[in-house]
Amino acid sequence: MQNIIRLIKADATKIMSVSIIYQLFPIVAVIVAFFAPQAMPLVLVLMVYLLGYGLLSYDENYHTQNYYAFLPIRRSEYVIGKYAFSLVLLVGSIVVCFALSFLGGMMMDADRISNQQLPSLYALSFILTALYLAIQYPFTMFLGGVKGRIVALVFYMAVFSFAFSGDILFIVLGWLQNSSLFLLLVAALALYFISCIVALNIYEKRDIA
Amino acid sequence: MPNSIEITDLQKRLGHFVLSIDHLQVPTGFITGFIGENGAGKTTTIKLILDMLRPNRGQIQVLGRDAQKDGSLAKADIGYVGDDAGYWASMRLRTIANITAPFFPRWDWALFDKLLSRFRLDPKAKYISLSKGMKKQFELVIALCHHPKLVILDEPTANLDPLVRRDILDLLLEMMEKEEVTVFFSTHITSDLDHAADYIVFLHQGKMLLFGDKDTIIEGHRVVKGPASLLSPGSEDKFISIQKNSFGFEALTDDPQWALDTFGKEAIYERPDIEQIFIGYTRKEDR
């Protein structure tokens, strides 16, 4: 457990030094959360992709795996650390962005998502991001950083961008408000954990350098 | 005293290349030089020891632990300098150390500062701004700051100027004197090991050719030089390797007494260095 916490801290520190884009994106996210929360599902998926999955891909492409191989950590701790970091990032982002969206809803006139719809919106964001990562991480563990990134792009651009443009978002939100949101959240989280187990099995067997 | 590294019946396939080591022991408390040409399998062996690669067959014990099952526990006592450290290029040296230190219970900040100062490295400098030699020096600092029991170095002095190479080797020898550290040092620059190594291992095309105490190996071999007329078909076959030209022959033997008895004062006998022994064995293997 201690090593996983250290790995999460290491990834958080890495974000500050890898690229300026990694540091700017959270700022973009909070601005969008305040002014245009209807875009948050796409923004959150992209942000967690960049900051969470992006660091994994960076490890694969720039031989950072060599550094982790030198540390006294198990392979399983490395994988769990990546999943945990992304989850912490996602949950933390949702909390902050939800608060900003709520504030924006109170301060601005509404040609935007109403505050009543915000819980469904952010639940949808969590579900989409968790599903996205649940699919993406095992692919990257199996294929490596370069091929994994191509798969990531296909999933993001072809599936999420298309599916949630225009009025489709409001239709989905309406359906979510009538459904058991809690069960859907639990299902997304369960899939995320199953993905972690799959990724663990892949990573245990493969050559990492 | 148990060995720091024990390899048994190891095999690893990477494409067409096959690494195959029947038995290798790295004695505790000594410097073992791991010599091989480019592509011999040195880095592959080291990555298998560190569980970066998984073997197709065989067992590796590191500091008494199975490298695959419990290797992570052993790594708290291992310092490693590889061909590519994997540090984040734009990160400052101090930040890299701040991230690394919590993983090692015996991390020594005083030693970190002292070694940085010795190598004249600025802790606020970014890793990407360092020269090749300075990067290697920093990697060695990180590897040594947690007082490891085993230091594994994968060609740490390759492509470095003689001054930096000497600095790195001197530091290793100092660490050996102060603490009981085992060093496993892979290189194709044999001159680095001539005065530093206690044991040497020769690796060629994925196979181990020779292993033993360096001084014993050197004393057990001679380079024999003489006119071609001294040679006979029977005597040629007894050499490990032989080179002939219009002036005569130069050959390597692992039986100096036989050579002396056979050629007497007609030939010249020289103590070989590690490079000559290595070249001799690889030529024998390639015949």
Side-chain angles (χ1 to χ4, degrees):
Chain A
M1 188 64 184
Q2 289 275 11
N3 277 342
I4 291 168
I5 294 170
R6 289 170 189 141
L7 287 167
I8 292 172
K9 286 181 184 172
D11 272 345
T13 308
K14 255 190 330 187
I15 286 173
M16 304 309 292
S17 70
V18 170
S19 165
I20 192 84
I21 296 173
Y22 285 57
Q23 296 157 43
L24 286 176
F25 212 88
I27 300 170
V28 169
V30 300
I31 293 171
V32 171
F34 188 81
F35 290 104
Q38 61 271 22
M40 283 315 290
L42 298 179
V43 168
L44 274 176
V45 171
L46 183 60
M47 188 178 80
V48 178
Y49 159 70
L50 270 182
L51 299 185
Y53 167 76
L55 290 179
L56 172 67
S57 178
Y58 185 95
D59 287 351
E60 294 275 334
N61 293 337
Y62 292 97
H63 307 293
T64 314
Q65 300 283 6
N66 293 352
Y67 170 76
Y68 288 108
F70 148 72
L71 295 179
I73 59 173
R74 296 182 188 278
R75 288 185 176 216
S76 57
E77 286 170 330
Y78 173 80
V79 174
I80 293 169
K82 290 295 177 204
Y83 273 81
F85 176 71
S86 292
L87 196 58
V88 164
L89 187 65
L90 176 59
V91 171
S93 303
I94 283 176
V95 167
V96 170
C97 291
F98 181 88
L100 284 167
S101 298
F102 194 85
L103 199 63
M106 286 171 60
M107 289 168 66
M108 284 186 272
D109 286 335
D111 191 11
R112 52 179 275 149
I113 293 258
S114 68
N115 279 358
Q116 284 75 31
Q117 289 175 306
L118 285 181
S120 301
L121 179 75
Y122 278 97
L124 177 64
S125 302
F126 180 91
I127 291 165
L128 284 179
T129 311
L131 280 177
Y132 180 78
L133 291 174
I135 295 165
Q136 196 49 49
Y137 270 141
F139 267 109
T140 303
M141 297 279 174
F142 185 69
L143 296 171
V146 173
K147 290 177 188 168
R149 194 174 275 174
I150 295 170
V151 174
L153 197 62
V154 167
F155 271 116
Y156 182 77
M157 300 301 279
V159 177
F160 293 102
S161 300
F162 175 76
F164 294 97
S165 54
D167 293 331
I168 297 176
L169 175 66
F170 292 96
I171 296 169
V172 173
L173 283 179
W175 176 75
L176 275 178
Q177 281 182 303
N178 295 328
S179 309
S180 173
L181 209 53
F182 177 74
L183 280 179
L184 288 169
L185 283 169
V186 167
L189 208 53
L191 278 167
Y192 193 72
F193 287 136
I194 291 168
S195 167
C196 183
I197 294 168
V198 171
L200 279 168
N201 276 312
I202 293 170
Y203 203 69
E204 273 297 328
K205 296 186 180 95
R206 62 167 271 202
D207 293 338
I208 57 175
Chain B
M1 190 176 293
N3 296 306
S4 288
I5 301 173
E6 290 230 22
I7 294 176
T8 311
D9 192 31
L10 180 69
Q11 191 182 86
K12 176 65 179 177
R13 290 179 181 276
L14 288 167
H16 294 299
F17 175 78
V18 179
L19 176 75
S20 182
I21 296 177
D22 291 331
H23 195 64
L24 171 61
Q25 296 169 315
V26 175
T28 300
F30 296 97
I31 296 180
T32 299
F34 193 37
I35 302 157
E37 76 281 8
N38 292 331
K42 303 185 297 295
T43 298
T44 303
T45 305
I46 285 172
K47 286 183 175 178
L48 284 161
I49 291 168
L50 292 169
D51 195 34
M52 294 156 82
L53 301 177
R54 288 280 156 102
N56 298 116
R57 186 180 83 208
Q59 209 187 31
I60 303 172
Q61 295 271 332
V62 185
L63 298 174
R65 299 181 191 274
D66 186 300
Q68 282 183 61
K69 291 179 194 154
D70 301 316
S72 60
L73 294 170
K75 283 180 191 175
D77 295 318
I78 297 175
Y80 168 61
V81 178
D83 51 352
D84 187 340
Y87 296 144
W88 305 284
S90 53
M91 203 176 271
R92 300 186 194 280
L93 305 189
R94 187 81 194 192
T95 309
I96 294 172
N98 282 339
I99 290 176
T100 309
F103 291 95
F104 294 96
R106 291 196 307 276
W107 184 271
D108 185 343
W109 280 110
L111 182 59
F112 175 77
D113 292 331
K114 183 178 157 194
L115 291 178
L116 276 197
S117 177
R118 174 180 173 149
F119 289 130
R120 291 184 289 278
L121 295 171
D122 179 3
K124 292 181 193 160
K126 290 191 178 182
Y127 182 72
I128 198 170
S129 68
L130 302 183
S131 67
K132 198 182 191 61
M134 291 161 90
K135 281 179 179 166
K136 277 294 164 213
Q137 287 170 333
F138 178 68
E139 288 160 29
L140 188 63
V141 169
I142 294 286
L144 295 177
C145 275
H146 61 278
H147 297 284
K149 293 179 185 165
L150 170 64
V151 179
I152 298 177
L153 307 163
D154 188 6
E155 305 214 30
T157 58
N159 301 319
L160 299 181
D161 67 64
L163 209 57
V164 174
R165 276 170 49 198
R166 178 55 56 207
D167 278 345
I168 287 174
L169 292 172
D170 285 347
L171 177 58
L172 280 174
L173 289 170
E174 277 173 38
M175 294 294 293
M176 295 269 324
E177 281 171 26
K178 285 181 195 164
E179 307 176 35
E180 198 188 87
V181 175
T182 303
V183 177
F184 187 58
F185 182 162
S186 89
T187 183
H188 61 271
I189 306 171
T190 53
S191 56
D192 284 345
L193 298 175
D194 274 327
H195 80 281
D198 302 301
Y199 291 86
I200 51 176
V201 182
F202 289 163
L203 196 72
H204 176 62
Q205 293 181 350
K207 290 198 186 105
M208 209 168 84
L209 299 183
L210 191 65
F211 165 69
D213 173 86
K214 181 195 74 179
D215 292 333
T216 305
I217 286 174
I218 290 174
E219 281 309 311
H221 291 77
R222 285 293 180 269
V223 172
V224 183
K225 297 176 182 176
S229 56
L230 287 179
L231 293 172
S232 64
S235 64
E236 277 191 50
D237 292 340
K238 297 266 286 183
F239 285 115
I240 290 166
S241 69
I242 185 164
Q243 272 194 297
K244 291 186 273 191
N245 57 39
S246 53
F247 300 107
F249 74 93
E250 180 176 316
L252 180 72
T253 178
D254 60 352
D255 193 345
Q257 191 57 53
W258 163 81
L260 188 60
D261 292 341
T262 306
F263 304 111
K265 291 179 187 173
E266 308 269 351
I268 297 167
Y269 308 93
E270 293 174 351
R271 281 174 88 247
D273 58 26
I274 295 174
E275 182 173 326
Q276 286 172 309
I277 299 173
F278 177 66
I279 289 172
Y281 274 88
T282 53
R283 282 192 177 139
K284 175 188 174 189
E285 195 65 24
D286 291 343
R287 261 190 304 202

